[in-house]
Amino acid sequence: MIDVVISGPWHVGKVLSSAGVLPVDTQTRSNAKLFEHTLHCLENGGVIAVFPEGTSYTLPHHLPFKDGLSWAAYEFLQHQCNSGNTEEVGISIIPAGITYTTKNKWRSDVVVEYGEPIRITARDLQDFQAESKPAVKQLTDRIADGVKQGSINSPDWDTLHAAAQARFIMFGDTRSVRLEDYVQVSQSFIEIFHPSKTQDDPTRAELKLRLLTFYKTLRQLRLSVWDINMYENHTITLRRAVLRLVSTWTALVIQMPLFLPSIMINWPIYLLARMAEHYEEYTESVAQDKLVYSVFLAIPLYGTIVYQFWKYIGYTMIGFLCAIMLIPVLAWYHMALVDKRYDMLKDVVASWRICAALLSSVTGFDAQPRRELEDAVRLRRWCLTNTKLLLLDLAKQGDPHARYLVERGKLVANQK
């Protein structure tokens, strides 16, 4: 169950309640009334999920945790004691870190890491009864530390972006890092480039600055690290860029008959999802908007397909059953084909952008895109070499984060 404030139209509350969401009365001054439904759920052996920040957000680190979870835990212990159940007074809080690899992407990979359970007992209740606010704050800090251990936290955006580029350059994109390693790899790079580490280390500070420059250059070019990867050991030439464009386009055209029917069926959903991504103000709401809009559009879309198929085969009962079975078949067909072909389409777009950058220089129209592209290739090469040297040097000095990354780099090299 999830403990949240339920407000708004009555039907919204009804939907949320039926989904197992517990209402919280934030207007009352009575803790017993505030946590009434929470205590009832726990008393009956239920499990409650709480998001202690109290809101969704897009920041490089956690918001300060609110104390509501800690108050609820102690109120439950107090409730147990008042009920005469002194032998079994206690409750366990399990910290959980939730990390999305691509937060605004529908069907993004997500990593959930559970920390060590925090057990609150009668002894803790005595501390709470003596001084409630310090006891609550202490418990909130313990919960925050537990969640932090299983999630990615950066002091600022620059450190997060520099760490992400170092991870991309060293280990590849998200799919090249095992999900069970994703959080630790990402957090290790953040610790390497933490402001407290770079302020007295000119070498590390310069590497961080160049990683940020590389990140900004790629954003200007609308390319990714892997789009320029093939030029790591080759000179950027128009001939090579054209050949890459032709090869990626040909591969996509060959695959076109496989997924074109699926695209033709689902293009309204993709269009609406694109609009949702464009107009949604909050990054954390993009994926849920895509999901909601897609579901509402899929009902009439697939309903029409089912009806037309049923009509085509004569409104028979067997035909109706076959038409209904068509929905999961079409969904499976689409999901099985879309990801790889979407990546192929992105390769074509990236190849075209590289070609356009080179053509603008050859034709004398604008040499700036080519210079930026060449700068990005040189920066990637420089950052790769110097990131490796930095990690090896820090590992020799005993830095645990560098040791982990060096060891994992060896494992990746063995897998390749």
Side-chain angles (χ1 to χ4, degrees), residues 28-74:
T28 182
R29 294 181 179 274
S30 167
N31 280 352
K33 184 67 176 175
L34 176 64
F35 300 118
E36 177 183 1
H37 298 280
T38 303
L39 300 182
H40 179 72
C41 177
L42 292 173
E43 193 174 29
N44 286 280
V47 176
I48 300 176
V50 180
F51 293 89
E53 294 99 323
T55 185
S56 59
Y57 57 92
T58 299
L59 289 173
H61 51 75
H62 287 303
L63 289 176
F65 281 19
K66 297 183 182 298
D67 295 325
L69 172 57
S70 301
W71 281 106
Y74 281 120

Side-chain angles (χ1 to χ4, degrees), residues 160 168 202 226:
L160 183 67
F168 285 140
W226 287 103

Side-chain angles (χ1 to χ4, degrees), residues 146-216:
V147 173
K148 188 176 180 180
Q149 294 298 320
S151 56
I152 298 174
N153 284 273
S154 173
D156 52 59
W157 284 112
D158 282 351
T159 303
L160 183 67
H161 292 321
Q165 293 309 310
R167 189 190 74 235
F168 285 140
I169 292 172
M170 287 293 297
F171 300 128
D173 62 7
T174 302
R175 291 165 297 182
S176 300
V177 178
R178 295 185 307 173
L179 284 180
E180 53 264 42
D181 299 328
Y182 180 80
V183 171
Q184 188 173 357
V185 168
S186 300
Q187 191 62 42
S188 294
F189 275 116
I190 288 171
E191 298 301 330
I192 294 291
F193 294 109
H194 196 281
S196 63
K197 306 288 182 60
T198 57
Q199 61 182 359
D200 297 323
D201 189 339
T203 301
R204 205 184 308 200
E206 182 185 6
L207 176 56
K208 181 178 179 179
L209 179 61
R210 294 211 183 190
L211 285 166
L212 286 171
T213 303
F214 179 60
Y215 164 75
K216 294 173 183 177

Side-chain angles (χ1 to χ4, degrees), residues 15 52 68 94 132 137 186 194 274 340 410:
V15 171
I94 302 177
S132 60
K137 288 293 183 185
S186 300
H194 196 281
R274 200 66 170 172
K340 183 178 179 180
K410 292 177 182 178

Side-chain angles (χ1 to χ4, degrees), residues 1-9 12-17 20-28 33-35 37-38 48-55 66 68:
M1 300 212 176
I2 302 176
D3 201 352
V4 300
V5 177
I6 295 180
S7 61
V12 174
K14 200 157 184 72
V15 171
L16 293 176
S17 296
V21 177
L22 298 178
V24 176
D25 183 1
T26 58
Q27 304 301 316
T28 182
K33 184 67 176 175
L34 176 64
F35 300 118
H37 298 280
T38 303
I48 300 176
V50 180
F51 293 89
E53 294 99 323
T55 185
K66 297 183 182 298

Side-chain angles (χ1 to χ4, degrees), residues 170-171 403-415:
M170 287 293 297
F171 300 128
R403 280 183 173 178
Y404 168 75
L405 293 171
V406 168
E407 182 60 29
R408 197 193 176 283
K410 292 177 182 178
L411 291 173
V412 171
N414 290 336
Q415 289 173 358

